[in-house]
Amino acid sequence: MHKRLFTPGPTEVRPEILKELATPQIYHRAPEFSDLYAEIQPKLRKVLYTKNPVLLFTASSTGAMESAVTNCVAKRCLNLVNGAFSKRWHEIAVGNGVPCDAFEIEWNKAIRPEMVDAQLSTGKYDAVTLVLNETSTGLANPLPEIAQVVRRYPDVFFLVDAVSGMAGVKIETDAWGIDFVLAGVQKAFALPAGLTVAAVSERALVRSEKVPPRSYYFSLPLMYKSHQKNQTPATPAIPQMFALNAQLTDMLAEGMDARFARHERMAKIVQTWAKKHFDIYPEEGYWSKTVTCIKNTRNLSISDLVKTLAKDYNFRISNGYGAIKEKTFRIAHMGDAQVDEIEGVLKAIETVLKL
Ligand SMILES: *Cc1c(COP(=O)(O)O)cnc(C)c1O
């Protein structure tokens, strides 16, 4: 029996979209492929609020994170860290020999614009990485406010991991001056894993021509060269592209504002419920609109709760991440999940725990 996913990636994929994966395959050097690629572009640019090219990575989000830091840093990169994924971005930079420093704060606290200002004012950096929505802790950093600070430093490129936010919350890529914004499609896009999209600014593409090549598969100059022909340098995940194309059409038919509003409604419901029965892990004012990380204030066995929900209700929620595995649990409310489904999960938890 299928367990319906309320995990913060992968998320539940609708059967209509799954069917798209079975579309007969096309040759990636044939015109029909370029047509598919070209059809996807304007839709993605709408969802990402950008005029920039949106590159398709046949990789999970981690691959695009690697592309960002290997291609867009000429001098030194500042990695803002307040969770597992922002820490991973620092490790990716270190692992690829990209000069970088981590600025780490407590994981239940948001990165504040003043902190970013203080770091950038040292003049050491020409790029900064930020995770919009820390999926490990359910914390949303104040992206527009931080973007405002970064824009005051014209040489500093702004690289944003929007993995569990994009397509669930509005990200004004161009208005906020984001140079590289990426998201794997298995989160709020509600698609099967295997593809990551990233909008890349013109100046980031220009810089990527100049930095010493640190990567081949994730080389922005190579990807952009193919992009101009509506192609990819290597064979892409063609099945996922069929699914992406169909899902983007459905998303735009729903309306992005309606989609964001639905996410906000679901978030409110889960947050109110969590405050009533438990507590919420990150500090108030910075709760994610796509995933809630709930504090285990009742000293429950989280693994038992997760197992029972899967066995008796066919609902899959998630335990905490890393060090807070048993101290928290996470309910994702993103993608194509609907309000009544989220309410159903909360009801099931109430029944299991006799709340
Ligand atoms: C899931 C996630 C990642 C990593 O994604 P993969 O697709 O597993 O590489 C990175 N950042 C954030 C914020 C995430 O939620």
Side-chain angles (χ1 to χ4, degrees), residues 47-60:
V47 172
L48 276 69
Y49 296 85
T50 187
K51 292 196 170 67
N52 293 336
V54 186
L55 302 179
L56 299 183
F57 292 80
T58 292
S60 77

PDB file of all heavy atoms in Angstrom, residues 47-60:
ATOM      1  N   VAL A  47       7.436  31.111 -12.765  1.00  0.00           N
ATOM      2  CA  VAL A  47       7.414  30.557 -11.406  1.00  0.00           C
ATOM      3  C   VAL A  47       8.564  31.139 -10.565  1.00  0.00           C
ATOM      4  O   VAL A  47       8.438  31.321  -9.353  1.00  0.00           O
ATOM      5  CB  VAL A  47       7.494  29.009 -11.463  1.00  0.00           C
ATOM      6  CG1 VAL A  47       7.661  28.399 -10.085  1.00  0.00           C
ATOM      7  CG2 VAL A  47       6.239  28.448 -12.138  1.00  0.00           C
ATOM      8  N   LEU A  48       9.673  31.466 -11.237  1.00  0.00           N
ATOM      9  CA  LEU A  48      10.838  31.996 -10.528  1.00  0.00           C
ATOM     10  C   LEU A  48      10.925  33.522 -10.561  1.00  0.00           C
ATOM     11  O   LEU A  48      11.877  34.100 -10.052  1.00  0.00           O
ATOM     12  CB  LEU A  48      12.140  31.404 -11.110  1.00  0.00           C
ATOM     13  CG  LEU A  48      12.559  30.048 -10.562  1.00  0.00           C
ATOM     14  CD1 LEU A  48      11.626  28.943 -11.007  1.00  0.00           C
ATOM     15  CD2 LEU A  48      13.978  29.713 -10.974  1.00  0.00           C
ATOM     16  N   TYR A  49       9.936  34.178 -11.169  1.00  0.00           N
ATOM     17  CA  TYR A  49       9.910  35.643 -11.244  1.00  0.00           C
ATOM     18  C   TYR A  49      11.241  36.193 -11.755  1.00  0.00           C
ATOM     19  O   TYR A  49      11.897  37.005 -11.107  1.00  0.00           O
ATOM     20  CB  TYR A  49       9.530  36.242  -9.881  1.00  0.00           C
ATOM     21  CG  TYR A  49       8.125  35.838  -9.484  1.00  0.00           C
ATOM     22  CD1 TYR A  49       7.889  34.622  -8.836  1.00  0.00           C
ATOM     23  CD2 TYR A  49       7.038  36.625  -9.819  1.00  0.00           C
ATOM     24  CE1 TYR A  49       6.596  34.210  -8.536  1.00  0.00           C
ATOM     25  CE2 TYR A  49       5.746  36.226  -9.516  1.00  0.00           C
ATOM     26  CZ  TYR A  49       5.540  35.025  -8.878  1.00  0.00           C
ATOM     27  OH  TYR A  49       4.269  34.618  -8.586  1.00  0.00           O
ATOM     28  N   THR A  50      11.612  35.710 -12.936  1.00  0.00           N
ATOM     29  CA  THR A  50      12.913  36.110 -13.477  1.00  0.00           C
ATOM     30  C   THR A  50      12.899  36.175 -14.998  1.00  0.00           C
ATOM     31  O   THR A  50      12.085  35.517 -15.653  1.00  0.00           O
ATOM     32  CB  THR A  50      14.009  35.115 -13.026  1.00  0.00           C
ATOM     33  OG1 THR A  50      15.283  35.619 -13.443  1.00  0.00           O
ATOM     34  CG2 THR A  50      13.812  33.724 -13.628  1.00  0.00           C
ATOM     35  N   LYS A  51      13.814  36.986 -15.517  1.00  0.00           N
ATOM     36  CA  LYS A  51      14.058  37.004 -16.960  1.00  0.00           C
ATOM     37  C   LYS A  51      15.324  36.210 -17.270  1.00  0.00           C
ATOM     38  O   LYS A  51      15.695  36.024 -18.427  1.00  0.00           O
ATOM     39  CB  LYS A  51      14.231  38.447 -17.446  1.00  0.00           C
ATOM     40  CG  LYS A  51      12.962  39.268 -17.359  1.00  0.00           C
ATOM     41  CD  LYS A  51      13.089  40.540 -18.214  1.00  0.00           C
ATOM     42  CE  LYS A  51      11.779  41.273 -18.364  1.00  0.00           C
ATOM     43  NZ  LYS A  51      11.296  41.854 -17.094  1.00  0.00           N
ATOM     44  N   ASN A  52      16.016  35.775 -16.238  1.00  0.00           N
ATOM     45  CA  ASN A  52      17.265  35.027 -16.417  1.00  0.00           C
ATOM     46  C   ASN A  52      16.998  33.638 -16.999  1.00  0.00           C
ATOM     47  O   ASN A  52      15.909  33.090 -16.824  1.00  0.00           O
ATOM     48  CB  ASN A  52      17.973  34.833 -15.063  1.00  0.00           C
ATOM     49  CG  ASN A  52      18.460  36.146 -14.487  1.00  0.00           C
ATOM     50  OD1 ASN A  52      18.690  37.102 -15.224  1.00  0.00           O
ATOM     51  ND2 ASN A  52      18.600  36.204 -13.176  1.00  0.00           N
ATOM     52  N   PRO A  53      18.008  33.078 -17.654  1.00  0.00           N
ATOM     53  CA  PRO A  53      17.858  31.689 -18.088  1.00  0.00           C
ATOM     54  C   PRO A  53      17.694  30.781 -16.880  1.00  0.00           C
ATOM     55  O   PRO A  53      18.324  31.005 -15.837  1.00  0.00           O
ATOM     56  CB  PRO A  53      19.172  31.388 -18.812  1.00  0.00           C
ATOM     57  CG  PRO A  53      20.122  32.457 -18.413  1.00  0.00           C
ATOM     58  CD  PRO A  53      19.306  33.647 -18.016  1.00  0.00           C
ATOM     59  N   VAL A  54      16.849  29.768 -17.024  1.00  0.00           N
ATOM     60  CA  VAL A  54      16.688  28.792 -15.945  1.00  0.00           C
ATOM     61  C   VAL A  54      17.301  27.479 -16.425  1.00  0.00           C
ATOM     62  O   VAL A  54      16.790  26.835 -17.340  1.00  0.00           O
ATOM     63  CB  VAL A  54      15.208  28.606 -15.554  1.00  0.00           C
ATOM     64  CG1 VAL A  54      15.110  27.698 -14.326  1.00  0.00           C
ATOM     65  CG2 VAL A  54      14.547  29.957 -15.267  1.00  0.00           C
ATOM     66  N   LEU A  55      18.418  27.130 -15.827  1.00  0.00           N
ATOM     67  CA  LEU A  55      19.148  25.938 -16.259  1.00  0.00           C
ATOM     68  C   LEU A  55      18.575  24.698 -15.579  1.00  0.00           C
ATOM     69  O   LEU A  55      18.082  24.763 -14.450  1.00  0.00           O
ATOM     70  CB  LEU A  55      20.639  26.078 -15.926  1.00  0.00           C
ATOM     71  CG  LEU A  55      21.319  27.303 -16.563  1.00  0.00           C
ATOM     72  CD1 LEU A  55      22.785  27.370 -16.152  1.00  0.00           C
ATOM     73  CD2 LEU A  55      21.191  27.292 -18.080  1.00  0.00           C
ATOM     74  N   LEU A  56      18.635  23.587 -16.303  1.00  0.00           N
ATOM     75  CA  LEU A  56      18.126  22.316 -15.771  1.00  0.00           C
ATOM     76  C   LEU A  56      19.299  21.397 -15.450  1.00  0.00           C
ATOM     77  O   LEU A  56      20.096  21.076 -16.336  1.00  0.00           O
ATOM     78  CB  LEU A  56      17.239  21.617 -16.809  1.00  0.00           C
ATOM     79  CG  LEU A  56      15.981  22.343 -17.282  1.00  0.00           C
ATOM     80  CD1 LEU A  56      15.205  21.449 -18.243  1.00  0.00           C
ATOM     81  CD2 LEU A  56      15.101  22.721 -16.100  1.00  0.00           C
ATOM     82  N   PHE A  57      19.394  21.014 -14.216  1.00  0.00           N
ATOM     83  CA  PHE A  57      20.450  20.106 -13.773  1.00  0.00           C
ATOM     84  C   PHE A  57      19.873  18.710 -13.595  1.00  0.00           C
ATOM     85  O   PHE A  57      18.897  18.540 -12.867  1.00  0.00           O
ATOM     86  CB  PHE A  57      21.016  20.552 -12.419  1.00  0.00           C
ATOM     87  CG  PHE A  57      21.783  21.841 -12.461  1.00  0.00           C
ATOM     88  CD1 PHE A  57      21.129  23.062 -12.466  1.00  0.00           C
ATOM     89  CD2 PHE A  57      23.165  21.837 -12.498  1.00  0.00           C
ATOM     90  CE1 PHE A  57      21.828  24.255 -12.500  1.00  0.00           C
ATOM     91  CE2 PHE A  57      23.883  23.021 -12.528  1.00  0.00           C
ATOM     92  CZ  PHE A  57      23.218  24.233 -12.536  1.00  0.00           C
ATOM     93  N   THR A  58      20.471  17.746 -14.260  1.00  0.00           N
ATOM     94  CA  THR A  58      20.083  16.365 -13.975  1.00  0.00           C
ATOM     95  C   THR A  58      20.903  15.930 -12.766  1.00  0.00           C
ATOM     96  O   THR A  58      21.995  15.367 -12.878  1.00  0.00           O
ATOM     97  CB  THR A  58      20.317  15.456 -15.198  1.00  0.00           C
ATOM     98  OG1 THR A  58      19.387  15.866 -16.206  1.00  0.00           O
ATOM     99  CG2 THR A  58      20.066  13.996 -14.861  1.00  0.00           C
ATOM    100  N   ALA A  59      20.391  16.288 -11.634  1.00  0.00           N
ATOM    101  CA  ALA A  59      21.062  16.052 -10.349  1.00  0.00           C
ATOM    102  C   ALA A  59      20.073  16.456  -9.278  1.00  0.00           C
ATOM    103  O   ALA A  59      19.114  17.176  -9.566  1.00  0.00           O
ATOM    104  CB  ALA A  59      22.306  16.923 -10.236  1.00  0.00           C
ATOM    105  N   SER A  60      20.309  16.012  -8.066  1.00  0.00           N
ATOM    106  CA  SER A  60      19.499  16.539  -6.972  1.00  0.00           C
ATOM    107  C   SER A  60      20.021  17.937  -6.643  1.00  0.00           C
ATOM    108  O   SER A  60      21.016  18.390  -7.215  1.00  0.00           O
ATOM    109  CB  SER A  60      19.548  15.597  -5.772  1.00  0.00           C
ATOM    110  OG  SER A  60      20.767  15.745  -5.083  1.00  0.00           O
TER     111      SER A  60
END
